[in-house]
Amino acid sequence: MTSFSFDRDNSLYKNRDALLEEYTPNNLVGRDDELEEYHAALQPIINGEAPSNIFLYGKSGVGKTAATRFLLNQLQEDAARYDDITLSVVEINCDGLNSSYQVAVRLVNTLRDPADQISNTGYPQAQVYSFLWDELDELNGTIIIVLDEVDHINDNSILYQIPRARSNGYLEHAKIGLIGISNDLSFRDSLSAKVRSSLCEKEVSFPPYDATELQKVLSQREQVAFHENALAEDVIPLCAAYGAQDAGDARQALDLLLEAGDLARKDAAEQVVDHHVQEARRKLERDRIMEGVADLTQHARLILYALTSLEAEDNSPARSRDIRPRYEQLCNHIGTEALTSRRMRDHLADLAMLGVISSTEKNEGMSGGKYREHALKQDLHLVVSALEETIELAGVHESIRPYYQSLLDERED
Ligand SMILES: Nc1ncnc2c1ncn2[C@@H]1O[C@H](COP(=O)(O)OP(=O)(O)OP(=O)(O)O)[C@@H](O)[C@H]1O
């Protein structure tokens, strides 16, 4: 019988935790231009002047939060050298806080003693703001409020109130600088002109990382996380190239390196090599598709199911008018009404964004006009497995029976 005893294995990793999300690197590499601009926007604070409100934007994993923590830590350290500066930083993530009211409550509770918290309901909004001004004024000095994922707040009230609190006479002692962070690139444009002009006084845009920048980020982590020579020479360049090609997201590139390291460890390999990276990439892509499909609405999944069944019959690429009858048939099975053709096309576009299907525009010139053709971009087995629940609900279509069966067989093994 195989032995399942555990022996410590430190052969590849020196400190695996350094590749996890929670780890904060000492230094930020590959973001010199952005840090320089951000630094300049924070400079008034150390000069004892009124702080600017700053808005940071850029896609996921491009270092917005990391740069904020890095510079604010530095700023706090340096501010301590000046007797006339009292600097406090309050950072909250607005994920899960949908309204200005909830954000204000969270801010009050972050600033208050644990024994003196307020509840999430029960006070008029004006009262909660008044609590907030009291807490801020008591702190005194310069206060930086960081609202990460600021686009999650559905109304703009707090983004309007905080920058104006002093000029409106609500604050006597405290000088507030608001830092808003968002990865929703349309958020800024959706703000009213009044809010935009105060929140976005200074803006710093964070572009996706290119391969050279990702190499720097990954090499820096390699030093901390892996033993010398634990990685073959091409591992970092390969992870960086994939990362840049995908989304320029440092989080994704670090995840790829971690997964490759874990696969090498599972193989008891002496080094992490090329094929570990390739395999890790396939695994992460698979996980991403499985999660992405699980998060889709039921109609999006039915549309994907319809296209999957056409693909299994070798009837793809297919136009949306060819997918529609199969989709309607599936809707019929579960007793729901099909969405309009227009909504269906929107869902096809979302599926293409997720990377589970590919949609190609065709142009038949004057006679035929433009249309799109859709096909699965991922392996049929993988999509059938991601759609398992929907298939159970809507019934197993004849065309996908062999794929569905092999999924069940695999499970039994
Ligand atoms: N320049 C960098 N040097 C070192 N590590 C970095 C760098 N940029 C990002 N990282 C790391 O990548 C991960 C994601 O970065 P971060 O959280 O700052 O991204 P973000 O732009 O705030 O993304 P999101 O909008 O998804 O929150 C973190 O683990 C961070 O430590």
Side-chain angles (χ1 to χ4, degrees):
M1 197 185 128
T2 323
S3 158
F4 285 107
S5 64
F6 291 94
D7 294 310
R8 189 164 278 189
D9 176 4
N10 287 333
S11 51
L12 293 169
Y13 291 116
K14 182 159 70 175
N15 176 11
R16 181 180 179 275
D17 292 356
L19 295 173
L20 303 182
E21 175 81 30
E22 307 81 74
Y23 179 83
T24 312
N26 291 337
N27 204 355
L28 278 197
V29 289
R31 289 279 83 151
D32 292 351
D33 294 344
E34 295 72 19
L35 286 175
E36 207 174 294
E37 236 178 283
Y38 201 173
H39 180 271
L42 291 166
Q43 181 65 32
I45 296 172
I46 219 79
N47 296 346
E49 299 154 4
S52 304
N53 300 313
I54 307 172
F55 182 59
L56 304 189
Y57 61 98
K59 294 197 177 150
S60 236
V62 294
K64 302 179 300 294
T65 309
T68 300
R69 300 223 170 110
F70 171 68
L71 281 183
L72 291 183
N73 281 343
Q74 186 68 48
L75 181 68
Q76 278 178 298
E77 232 172 75
D78 293 335
R81 290 191 279 125
Y82 299 90
D83 292 339
D84 57 344
I85 299 179
T86 321
L87 177 64
S88 318
V89 174
V90 189
E91 184 194 328
I92 63 168
N93 191 306
C94 303
D95 186 19
L97 306 173
N98 298 322
S99 61
S100 289
Y101 183 90
Q102 289 178 355
V103 173
V105 169
R106 173 67 62 85
L107 283 170
V108 170
N109 285 336
T110 308
L111 294 165
R112 276 194 181 189
D113 204 80
D116 199 17
Q117 303 278 294
I118 58 171
S119 76
N120 226 333
T121 49
Y123 297 97
Q125 178 142 319
Q127 174 83 64
V128 177
Y129 280 148
S130 160
F131 288 149
L132 179 59
W133 312 139
D134 289 347
E135 292 305 323
L136 293 171
D137 241 356
E138 194 167 323
L139 257 185
N140 204 350
T142 303
I143 303 161
I144 300 184
I145 300 179
V146 182
L147 300 180
D148 207 344
E149 307 204 38
V150 63
D151 48 280
H152 287 228
I153 313 174
N154 290 330
D155 61 293
N156 289 339
S157 154
I158 198 154
L159 304 180
Y160 181 75
Q161 294 291 344
I162 292 180
R164 283 178 174 65
R166 202 173 160 97
S167 58
N168 283 342
Y170 300 137
L171 293 175
E172 213 178 311
H173 310 295
K175 291 193 265 185
I176 313 289
L178 191 59
I179 298 181
I181 306 180
S182 173
N183 58 19
D184 175 352
L185 304 185
S186 62
F187 173 72
R188 181 190 173 281
D189 298 333
S190 73
L191 295 171
S192 71
K194 266 192 321 193
V195 174
R196 196 182 317 140
S197 70
S198 49
L199 172 66
C200 311
E201 220 173 348
K202 301 275 182 209
E203 293 182 341
V204 189
S205 130
F206 282 65
Y209 286 108
D210 64 22
T212 316
E213 291 164 340
L214 281 179
Q215 276 211 40
K216 290 186 189 164
V217 173
L218 294 172
S219 302
Q220 181 201 42
R221 272 331 147 88
E222 177 195 1
Q223 309 283 323
V224 197
F226 289 97
H227 289 297
E228 209 173 320
N229 296 326
L231 305 188
E233 225 170 83
D234 48 358
V235 164
I236 296 276
L238 193 59
C239 289
Y242 279 139
Q245 181 187 322
D246 290 344
D249 173 338
R251 188 182 289 117
Q252 261 184 30
L254 287 162
D255 283 349
L256 180 61
L257 184 59
L258 175 64
E259 192 62 45
D262 284 356
L263 286 172
R265 176 148 90 174
K266 197 162 126 237
D267 283 0
E270 271 175 28
Q271 247 195 346
V272 186
V273 294
D274 214 34
H275 80 80
H276 295 122
V277 179
Q278 311 285 6
E279 201 181 321
R281 185 167 148 84
R282 279 194 294 276
K283 179 179 180 305
L284 291 178
E285 176 74 354
R286 191 189 158 84
D287 292 352
R288 198 179 64 78
I289 296 293
M290 294 295 281
E291 278 169 31
V293 171
D295 286 346
L296 292 172
T297 61
Q298 187 179 59
H299 280 285
R301 274 186 264 139
L302 288 169
I303 293 164
L304 178 60
Y305 184 5
L307 179 60
T308 306
S309 68
L310 292 173
E311 178 107 4
E313 293 167 344
D314 261 344
N315 279 328
S316 84
R319 293 175 66 163
S320 70
R321 69 177 185 201
D322 303 322
I323 303 170
R324 187 156 185 90
R326 184 66 51 87
Y327 162 58
E328 283 174 343
Q329 202 183 342
L330 294 170
C331 287
N332 239 338
H333 268 268
I334 60 168
T336 183
E337 202 164 318
L339 300 174
T340 60
S341 299
R342 174 179 254 273
R343 291 282 296 124
M344 190 183 132
R345 280 197 298 272
D346 289 345
H347 278 306
L348 285 165
D350 291 345
L351 290 167
M353 281 271 287
L354 179 63
V356 68
I357 72 170
S358 59
S359 301
T360 323
E361 191 168 87
K362 296 278 169 185
N363 194 342
E364 298 219 314
M366 306 272 267
S367 53
K370 280 190 197 163
Y371 62 90
R372 285 189 165 274
E373 277 189 345
H374 312 277
L376 283 195
K377 200 174 170 189
Q378 301 290 334
D379 176 57
L380 247 165
H381 283 98
L382 169 58
V383 180
V384 167
S385 129
L387 283 172
E388 187 177 355
E389 268 181 39
T390 310
I391 295 171
E392 273 165 20
L393 189 73
V396 185
H397 190 271
E398 212 35 52
S399 62
I400 61 142
R401 197 168 289 287
Y403 300 95
Y404 185 68
Q405 191 54 46
S406 80
L407 180 70
L408 300 183
D409 294 347
E410 256 171 46
R411 182 142 330 133
E412 267 186 19
D413 290 349

